[in-house]
Amino acid sequence: MKKELPLVPSSDDVGFEARKVLRNCVSGVIGTVDRDEGYAYTSFGSIGITWQGEPIFLWSDLSDHTQNAKQDPRVSLLCEQASHRSNPQAGARVTLVGTVRPCDDDVLKAQYFAKHPSAQMYAGFDDFNFYAFTLEKAHSVGGFGKAVWVERDHFLCAPDSADLFAKEQDQLLAGYEALASRLAGAAEAELSRIDPDGLDLRLKGRNLRLDFSKEVASLDEARAEIELLLSKV
């Protein structure tokens, strides 16, 4: 019997909160179906994230999770902000459930490289390929007693917002690049992306995520959120 998802009220921004967990991660635990014996197989891997909030993978053909997904494209991804806590059970985590497919889309590749610029060194190897993830649903856990299944349309950013930030990205980055050091509290910081949920910065080769207080739908709203972040540093 198919599990019915609890209804997520439109006034409850659980999708935004769940996306924040995903967007703060550069890697996660990947679950696939073992191609030989059918058991659950998990592995660790890096992730990129689309403007709307779906993962992008760069996988080697030699990896077991790749070979499994070629036989059965059903994949899950666990991202978490809990393992560093004294009580991990109280931390936020989200599990995405969906399917993967090979892709050769330069737009998706660029979004992966925004999180992992060093991956460009081996992305062109014959045995490495990009895979796009199509979300079906997500299980969001915000701590004790805060678990809910979130349907695709509730989890993802609004398509119009995602398209706007993709189109206007160069303008936004040019306008705020000079403020990256203030936002990160370090002179070496570089602003790498602004999406409807927040900012990605690079600092000494590592990613730093700054979340907005809400999903934004316009450039003016994004500027207001950035000013709010600046007021806190």
Side-chain angles (χ1 to χ4, degrees), residues 29-215:
V29 177
I30 302 162
T32 53
V33 180
D34 181 81
R35 60 195 179 280
D36 295 322
E37 300 181 32
Y39 50 70
Y41 174 81
T42 57
S43 55
F44 176 83
S46 300
I47 57 172
I49 303 169
T50 69
W51 297 106
Q52 271 199 280
E54 287 181 298
I56 310 160
F57 303 108
L58 176 59
W59 287 347
S60 167
D61 290 339
L62 303 178
S63 299
D64 280 292
H65 54 246
T66 308
Q67 296 180 43
N68 290 341
K70 286 183 176 181
Q71 294 293 321
D72 187 335
R74 292 176 297 171
V75 169
S76 63
L77 172 70
L78 168 65
C79 293
E80 53 88 15
Q81 294 177 308
S83 56
H84 66 283
R85 288 172 168 258
S86 59
N87 183 355
Q89 292 294 333
R93 59 266 195 197
V94 61
T95 298
L96 309 184
V97 177
T99 58
V100 294
R101 67 186 188 283
C103 70
D104 190 22
D105 186 317
D106 288 340
V107 174
L108 289 179
K109 292 178 183 180
Q111 292 173 79
Y112 185 89
F113 293 139
K115 286 275 192 185
H116 305 282
S118 63
Q120 297 180 67
M121 293 187 297
Y122 55 85
F125 293 174
D126 288 343
D127 65 311
F128 276 85
N129 295 284
F130 284 91
Y131 290 81
F133 182 94
T134 300
L135 178 71
E136 179 181 335
K137 58 186 178 181
H139 191 239
S140 176
V141 182
F144 286 116
K146 297 180 180 178
V148 62
W149 281 99
V150 186
E151 295 182 84
R152 173 185 173 85
D153 290 344
H154 284 292
F155 181 88
L156 297 178
C157 280
D160 290 347
S161 299
D163 290 344
L164 174 65
F165 279 79
K167 179 181 178 181
E168 302 294 339
Q169 190 65 190
D170 290 343
Q171 174 189 336
L172 278 169
L173 291 178
Y176 286 98
E177 180 59 46
L179 298 176
S181 59
R182 280 184 59 194
L183 288 163
E188 309 93 328
E190 298 178 353
L191 188 59
S192 59
R193 190 166 96 157
I194 304 175
D195 57 57
D197 298 322
L199 314 175
D200 282 326
L201 299 101
R202 297 283 297 174
L203 178 60
K204 297 180 180 180
R206 301 186 67 180
N207 289 285
L208 175 64
R209 179 72 183 177
L210 297 179
D211 299 313
F212 291 157
S213 65
K214 62 180 181 179
E215 177 187 342

